[in-house]
Amino acid sequence: MQTDGPGQDLVADVFARECTSRAAFEDVTSKWASLVLLALGEGPVRFNALRRRVDGVSEKMLSQTLQALERDGMLTRDVVTAIPPRVEYELTPLGTAVAGHLRGLADLLEASVPQVETARRNHVQR
């Protein structure tokens, strides 16, 4: 965030290098974080189920991604003391809102696959 001057309110600016919103934007828009948020938008899930849902993510990368999203207030981590113990992840209200916007983008991209494939073929032919 930046200030407008002494005694002025802080102004969030995603384009400002030191703004918290920019750091959160970087976290949320990484490939793995976006996919995790989309998956958690379908409901709470355990780590291994999430790893299966997000095809291709390594255990280490998923763990790092979940930690970053938890730090940014996008999800909660709940340790369930059962036998065997398990950990469940669930979106917070902020995470739900962000996931909703990502879902719209994902839906648009999925519906646009034929256009993207055509554009890619045309680009290769140039």
Side-chain angles (χ1 to χ4, degrees):
M1 290 211 195
Q2 63 188 55
T3 60
D4 290 335
Q8 298 294 319
D9 291 332
L10 294 176
V11 176
D13 181 1
V14 76
F15 292 103
R17 182 181 320 151
E18 299 301 321
C19 185
T20 302
S21 67
R22 181 167 174 169
F25 186 84
E26 290 172 1
D27 289 342
V28 166
T29 58
S30 76
K31 171 178 60 177
W32 298 123
S34 293
L35 293 171
V36 164
L37 287 167
L38 286 169
L40 288 173
E42 299 169 355
V45 68
R46 297 190 332 202
F47 184 89
N48 285 328
L50 188 56
R51 198 174 90 191
R52 286 189 300 274
R53 180 74 173 112
V54 182
D55 191 27
V57 68
S58 70
E59 190 171 319
K60 179 181 178 183
M61 183 54 66
L62 180 56
S63 180
Q64 290 173 348
T65 299
L66 290 166
Q67 288 173 9
L69 292 172
E70 183 180 14
R71 179 193 65 229
D72 289 342
M74 303 289 165
L75 59 85
T76 58
R77 179 182 184 271
D78 184 31
V79 179
V80 180
T81 54
I83 299 176
R86 64 183 191 272
V87 177
E88 286 190 346
Y89 296 90
E90 184 173 9
L91 292 178
T92 63
L94 175 59
T96 299
V98 171
H101 288 283
L102 289 172
R103 181 76 262 163
L105 177 59
D107 290 345
L108 173 63
L109 291 171
E110 288 172 348
S112 302
V113 165
Q115 292 168 273
V116 172
E117 288 176 342
T118 298
R120 287 181 174 191
R121 279 193 304 274
N122 291 341
H123 184 10
V124 169
Q125 292 173 358
R126 290 185 198 167

